Amino acid sequence: MKDPEDNYKLIVDEKVADNIRYMFQLILEGHTLNETAKILNSEGVITARARRKEIKGYDAYANRWESTVEDTIWSHSMVRRILKNETYTGTFVFNKSSKSKLDGGKVIYHPKEEWIRIFDNHEALISKETFDEVQEILKSRHKNSFIGNKSKYKNSPLATFVRCNKCGYKIRFGKSSNGKELIGINLYCYYCRMLEQEEKLPHYKELEKEVFRILKDKFHTDKTEKKKLLYEQKELYDRNDQLSKKKRIEFENYKFGKISREDFVEIKNHIQESDEENKERIQAIDEELKQAGSIDNLTEDIVRKYIKTIYISGKGIERIEYQ
């Protein structure tokens, strides 16, 4: 952690120092990043984010992930970031990035060759030899699990809308390919997986089929139905015009003594009630037309138009929050 009296100096946070050493030791013992993260979670080791919250008194990342659980967990990426951080060897590294003065403060990341290092700047938690050994282990394990780029394969239109009903974290849609074509998409909750509380989620195609059915039943309006609604709305507008004319005529009849005041008030109230009923129906049709759409297939645009979040479990869809 930063020395409050010198931003270029770091001091050891004794509460978590052993945790850092423990991570390096687990890798040296042969554990993978995922295994290391699971061990840390199972043993209740405080995460870096939770420790920052303890020190600062607030969670700077609270609004970044919507979830129904407050506890943060270790992930393989969090472990990797720590294992690759030279700071723990006593080296202060800066000039990793800078902000552009011409492009709205956009962050520019510099290549490693341009990083500036101050060796033996502060107390080391890990020896340089241990750090280098762990880097070699990580490097040796790194391999391409597929040929080509997975991003070129189209993901499910539901991919950004689905969350775990248990914890609220986003469900991951893991694409599998053989380099030539998409083989499948595997759904899983990373949070539950890392806590070893994972349950088998529905197949993505079954989920898509169910969401399509729900949207079609709830919002689909074909051209014939839409035409009927528009025709009904036009008739209601015409009726209200006729009611306005009738009201003026009856008022003139009252003024010229053709009907009594009591009769006029009764007629006026009846006209007003009919007018309000028609206006309510006109407004209801407006809402129907606003929500109406031709849902012939499931696309990301269609899902975004109607759905905010889909919560799922091993049983399937638990609930849907609509726009």
Side-chain angles (χ1 to χ4, degrees):
M1 57 191 291
K2 284 187 177 181
D3 187 334
E5 297 180 1
D6 185 351
N7 283 337
Y8 289 95
K9 285 285 184 181
L10 298 176
I11 56 177
V12 174
D13 184 354
E14 296 295 346
K15 182 171 181 178
V16 295
D18 285 340
N19 298 342
I20 303 300
R21 299 186 185 100
Y22 186 35
M23 286 183 222
F24 279 85
Q25 185 59 39
L26 287 171
I27 297 298
L28 291 174
E29 290 175 2
H31 293 285
T32 65
L33 293 173
N34 258 329
E35 288 170 351
T36 300
K38 285 183 178 181
I39 290 170
L40 297 174
N41 288 326
S42 66
E43 295 181 3
V45 175
I46 187 170
T47 63
R49 177 180 164 191
R51 180 57 180 154
R52 279 194 297 269
K53 183 179 178 181
E54 279 187 353
I55 295 170
K56 295 183 177 181
Y58 64 91
D59 186 358
Y61 298 90
N63 296 324
R64 186 172 293 186
W65 297 282
E66 295 177 20
S67 69
T68 55
V69 291
E70 293 185 4
D71 295 335
T72 56
I73 60 166
W74 288 101
S75 65
H76 71 279
S77 58
M78 291 170 66
V79 173
R80 185 196 293 114
R81 276 199 300 273
I82 288 175
L83 295 174
K84 296 181 78 67
N85 192 342
E86 293 179 63
T87 301
Y88 299 115
T89 66
T91 302
F92 187 81
V93 184
F94 60 100
N95 198 44
K96 288 183 176 182
S97 64
S98 59
K99 286 189 177 181
S100 171
K101 295 180 180 179
L102 302 175
D103 196 12
K106 182 180 178 181
V107 177
I108 301 170
Y109 293 97
H110 303 153
K112 284 189 175 182
E113 296 75 29
E114 296 180 14
W115 292 4
I116 300 174
R117 293 173 172 82
I118 302 176
F119 298 101
D120 300 319
N121 179 72
H122 50 270
E123 182 182 346
L125 293 180
I126 303 296
S127 69
K128 188 69 169 64
E129 293 73 24
T130 298
F131 182 84
D132 289 341
E133 187 177 352
V134 168
Q135 303 317 301
E136 287 301 317
I137 292 172
L138 296 178
K139 187 177 179 181
S140 68
R141 291 175 181 173
H142 181 73
K143 60 181 179 179
N144 291 326
S145 58
F146 60 92
I147 303 169
N149 183 4
K150 283 186 184 178
S151 63
K152 71 181 180 181
Y153 302 114
K154 191 174 181 180
N155 208 336
S156 168
L158 303 177
T160 59
F161 303 93
V162 184
R163 289 183 177 272
C164 174
N165 191 58
K166 185 189 297 182
C167 67
Y169 272 79
K170 274 191 174 181
I171 295 296
R172 297 194 180 187
F173 283 60
K175 293 182 287 184
S176 301
S177 77
N178 58 11
K180 296 180 180 179
E181 60 183 354
L182 184 68
I183 298 173
I185 300 176
N186 177 43
L187 274 61
Y188 63 96
C189 174
Y190 188 77
Y191 186 93
C192 293
R193 174 174 288 187
M194 295 310 292
L195 293 178
E196 299 188 333
Q197 298 173 0
E198 184 180 13
E199 57 182 346
K200 184 175 176 58
L201 297 176
H203 192 277
Y204 79 99
K205 286 189 176 180
E206 292 300 319
L207 187 62
E208 288 177 358
K209 191 184 298 183
E210 180 64 11
V211 171
F212 177 65
R213 183 193 64 76
I214 291 171
L215 289 179
K216 198 169 179 70
D217 289 347
K218 192 174 180 67
F219 298 109
H220 178 73
T221 305
D222 61 27
K223 291 181 180 178
T224 304
E225 290 173 343
K226 192 172 183 179
K227 193 174 180 180
K228 284 181 181 178
L229 287 171
L230 289 169
Y231 181 77
E232 181 187 352
Q233 195 175 56
K234 182 180 180 302
E235 279 197 326
L236 291 168
Y237 277 120
D238 290 342
R239 284 181 202 168
N240 277 0
D241 287 341
Q242 293 299 321
L243 288 171
S244 295
K245 290 177 183 177
K246 181 175 175 59
K247 187 177 178 180
R248 285 196 299 271
I249 291 170
E250 296 300 337
F251 179 72
E252 289 176 2
N253 288 337
Y254 162 63
K255 280 294 184 182
F256 288 107
K258 294 181 179 180
I259 60 173
S260 66
R261 185 178 185 281
E262 289 76 13
D263 288 341
F264 171 68
V265 170
E266 184 179 347
I267 293 170
K268 186 185 75 169
N269 289 340
H270 178 71
I271 290 173
Q272 192 168 335
E273 286 177 9
S274 298
D275 180 78
E276 288 175 358
E277 286 177 6
N278 291 341
K279 283 179 178 177
E280 285 180 8
R281 179 55 187 155
I282 288 170
Q283 189 174 357
I285 292 173
D286 277 337
E287 288 299 318
E288 286 185 55
L289 290 171
K290 186 179 178 182
Q291 293 290 340
S294 180
I295 304 175
D296 299 317
N297 51 50
L298 195 68
T299 66
E300 188 174 347
D301 288 338
I302 289 290
V303 178
R304 184 178 291 107
K305 180 179 179 180
Y306 298 108
I307 290 177
K308 182 181 177 183
T309 310
I310 303 167
Y311 291 91
I312 68 169
S313 69
K315 300 175 183 177
I317 296 174
E318 295 287 350
R319 60 191 172 96
I320 296 178
E321 290 181 359
Y322 295 99
Q323 296 286 9

